[in-house]
Amino acid sequence: MSTTRTETQVVVIGAGQAGLAVAYYLRRFELAPGDDFIVYDRGPVTGGAWQHRWDALKLGSAHHVNDLPGMSELGLSFDTADRSLPARDIVAGYYRRYEDYFGLQVQRPVTVHSVSDRGADLIVEHSAGETATRIVVNASGTWGSPFVPYYPGMNDFAGRHVHTSTYRSADEFAGQSVVVVGGGTSAIGFLLELEGVADALTWATRRPVDFRDESELTIEGGVAAVAMQDAAARAGQALPSIVSGTGVPRTRRIAAGIERGVLTERPMFTRIEKDGVRWPDGSFTRADAIIWATGFRPELRHLAPLHLREKTGGLTVASGASWQDSRIFLAGYGPQASTIGANRAGRIIARQIMAQL
């Protein structure tokens, strides 16, 4: 690794929605991008985690994507975007224009390996060298930390294990028997895309799917999800899934899938065998592939030298700030996850940073 050393006041790790929102407000507070603060992003292009999404995912089939703060100045809004195009292309294009317009000078691809405490400074070691800084904003998201639960026999399976993070196209599963695991919108999207492509489809979930009689995520559902995430973050506990608070809106597309019998879940299998899965009642389903739409965990490995993790499994965070170290902020963590609350968090975190500088 290069020994190039730089110095700044604030390092932002990640240029997804949360990272860009923080960078926008830091600039609004008259900090100079590339000098007073530096944004590092490991992605080869703009778009955060969206650049890695699968081909068929459209904006209309995912949870609502909020506009970045100040995006209206560019005359852009995800509400009026072309929903016939892949979501990853739209988000990447909008974010590229956003970064250029506000001159955020995101440095990419730069992978952060660790953040350590060196007294007055925090040292961020990354693929381009190391950076000494007073404050770190971690906005690394979750895409780099996919979660797959363990089930007996997993390693004996002769077929493919595919996680949401590596799913690319339904065409890969043409003529195959596929088991989809997970109770959220990603699992539902895979099932609807695979219908008529895969030879056989089976849906397995740990708990009954909470279908809501609404066409999109409601304010009430969003508030409930944020409250659950906030309570866990303040207690230093492992974070619950977003869908456990929001449920799944029964859109027309989903309602039609339920009516056709495509979206009929069954309780989780008890074990995996060489050529399929075994259910609690002893019955067996052959499978060529198991798609794990089982979510992600916050990507925090690079913060391990700071010893922020609690015995209860999470980090203690309130209003985006670590209770263990006041120089560390976590944007997009807990109640700020996904697009719920990320923009507001950018402003709150930036204000706290300015109070320290």
Side-chain angles (χ1 to χ4, degrees):
M1 185 174 69
S2 169
T3 57
T4 301
R5 181 183 174 92
T6 57
E7 295 184 1
T8 188
Q9 295 191 71
V10 183
V11 166
V12 180
I13 303 171
Q17 182 179 23
L20 291 180
V22 172
Y24 168 84
Y25 284 110
L26 290 177
R27 184 181 178 278
R28 283 281 300 271
F29 287 129
E30 299 186 351
L31 294 189
D35 185 7
D36 297 325
F37 71 91
I38 299 174
V39 182
Y40 293 126
D41 187 61
R42 71 179 175 193
V45 297
T46 55
W50 286 94
Q51 67 189 275
H52 306 297
R53 302 282 184 168
W54 54 98
D55 300 346
L57 183 65
K58 306 296 193 295
L59 287 179
S61 61
H63 282 301
H64 181 72
V65 181
N66 289 329
D67 292 343
L68 292 166
M71 185 179 281
S72 59
E73 293 184 34
L74 288 74
L76 298 176
S77 174
F78 289 116
D79 291 337
T80 56
D82 184 351
R83 296 195 171 193
S84 68
L85 299 175
R88 67 183 181 201
D89 295 343
I90 294 173
V91 176
Y94 281 16
Y95 280 17
R96 180 174 59 253
R97 293 170 64 180
Y98 185 88
E99 290 181 16
D100 291 344
Y101 182 85
F102 290 110
L104 300 180
Q105 299 185 34
V106 177
Q107 297 188 26
R108 62 167 58 88
V110 176
T111 300
V112 172
H113 302 303
S114 68
V115 179
S116 54
D117 186 358
R118 302 281 178 85
D121 287 332
L122 293 164
I123 302 299
V124 180
E125 296 185 34
H126 48 77
S127 55
E130 66 177 32
T131 302
T133 183
R134 293 177 59 184
I135 292 172
V136 167
V137 179
N138 189 75
S140 54
T142 62
W143 191 262
S145 188
F147 172 69
V148 177
Y150 173 79
Y151 280 87
M154 288 189 73
N155 296 331
D156 300 326
F157 186 52
R160 295 175 60 200
H161 286 292
V162 179
H163 187 267
T164 301
S165 59
T166 55
Y167 180 96
R168 290 293 173 265
S169 170
D171 293 341
E172 298 179 22
F173 305 93
Q176 296 184 10
S177 178
V178 181
V179 174
V180 178
V181 180
T185 54
S186 292
I188 291 170
F190 295 151
L191 288 159
L192 294 176
E193 290 170 21
L194 289 164
E195 182 185 11
V197 178
D199 181 61
L201 282 174
T202 306
W203 186 16
T205 63
R206 287 194 303 126
R207 62 176 68 90
V209 179
D210 181 15
F211 287 112
R212 304 286 178 89
D213 289 323
E214 52 210 26
S215 60
E216 59 184 15
L217 180 63
T218 63
I219 293 175
E220 291 78 12
V223 168
V226 168
M228 291 173 59
Q229 294 277 320
D230 189 44
R234 288 176 181 273
Q237 297 173 347
L239 300 175
S241 67
I242 289 292
V243 74
S244 65
T246 63
V248 177
R250 197 188 300 263
T251 64
R252 284 184 294 179
R253 182 169 178 253
I254 289 175
I258 296 172
E259 182 68 23
R260 294 194 305 273
V262 179
L263 300 181
T264 302
E265 76 272 25
R266 60 185 300 180
M268 280 300 298
F269 44 78
T270 53
R271 66 174 293 107
I272 301 171
E273 299 180 10
K274 181 179 180 181
D275 53 354
V277 298
R278 185 74 60 179
W279 304 95
D281 62 3
S283 62
F284 178 81
T285 296
R286 192 185 70 80
D288 299 299
I290 301 174
I291 299 178
W292 298 91
T294 45
F296 300 80
R297 296 292 183 264
E299 188 174 6
L300 304 172
R301 291 183 295 269
H302 50 286
L303 300 182
L306 301 175
H307 305 292
L308 302 177
R309 192 175 294 278
E310 306 284 2
K311 293 181 179 178
T312 45
L315 274 61
T316 304
V317 178
S319 299
S322 167
W323 282 16
Q324 295 281 10
D325 191 328
S326 61
R327 301 169 298 173
I328 305 296
F329 294 87
L330 292 106
Y333 182 87
Q336 306 162 7
S338 187
T339 63
I340 299 174
N343 291 347
R344 178 173 176 270
R347 181 173 64 252
I348 292 172
I349 288 173
R351 284 176 174 170
Q352 293 178 82
I353 289 172
M354 298 308 297
Q356 291 191 34
L357 296 179

